[in-house]
Amino acid sequence: MDNTILEATSCDHTSSAERKSHHSEKTKRSLMHRLNRIEGQVRGVKGLIERDTYCDDVLIQIASIQSALNGLGKQLLEHHLKSCVVGRIEEGDHEVLDELLITVNKLLK
């Protein structure tokens, strides 16, 4: 996993209509930095396609983007486990485990 340390914060899960995470500024900066890099990679692939770059080279860049997205997902999942999930379990809400399993299954598709 990434060596970036994410500060555990709280999650508001009391309203099922609008659940929210409360990320620290450090965590937000880290996530946004990764997203900005990924956004740049996607624009780069668009440019490769516009310039009729050889398909194999484009596919390698797409694999790089997928890897970066997976890294972002792992980072966010780690934060979620250490803050939201732990907090809800400590409050006696064990339904969070079923929710977590559904989310992990979607991530692993």
Side-chain angles (χ1 to χ4, degrees):
M1 214 163 278
D2 189 311
N3 290 335
T4 305
I5 296 173
L6 297 177
E7 297 174 4
T9 55
S10 63
C11 295
D12 179 6
H13 57 273
T14 55
S15 169
S16 61
E18 186 178 351
R19 300 179 301 175
K20 292 189 174 209
S21 290
H22 302 285
H23 302 290
S24 69
E25 286 304 313
K26 181 178 180 180
T27 298
K28 282 184 187 179
R29 278 193 308 274
S30 176
L31 293 170
M32 295 306 295
H33 179 72
R34 281 178 171 255
L35 284 168
N36 288 336
R37 284 197 334 245
I38 292 166
E39 184 179 24
Q41 288 177 295
V42 171
R43 282 194 308 270
V45 167
K46 182 179 177 184
L48 292 175
I49 291 171
E50 288 171 344
R51 292 188 303 276
D52 295 322
T53 302
Y54 186 62
C55 293
D56 191 53
D57 296 333
V58 176
L59 291 167
I60 289 169
Q61 292 305 310
I62 290 171
S64 177
I65 293 167
Q66 289 171 328
S67 177
L69 283 169
N70 287 339
L72 176 70
K74 288 176 191 175
Q75 183 179 3
L76 195 52
L77 179 61
E78 178 181 353
H79 175 268
H80 182 58
L81 288 169
K82 290 181 177 179
S83 59
C84 304
V85 174
V86 168
R88 286 177 64 182
I89 289 172
E90 287 173 347
E91 293 171 1
D93 181 0
H94 295 276
E95 288 180 21
V96 70
L97 296 175
D98 292 329
E99 179 184 292
L100 178 63
L101 288 172
I102 290 168
T103 300
V104 168
N105 281 325
K106 289 179 180 180
L107 278 172
L108 295 177
K109 280 187 177 181

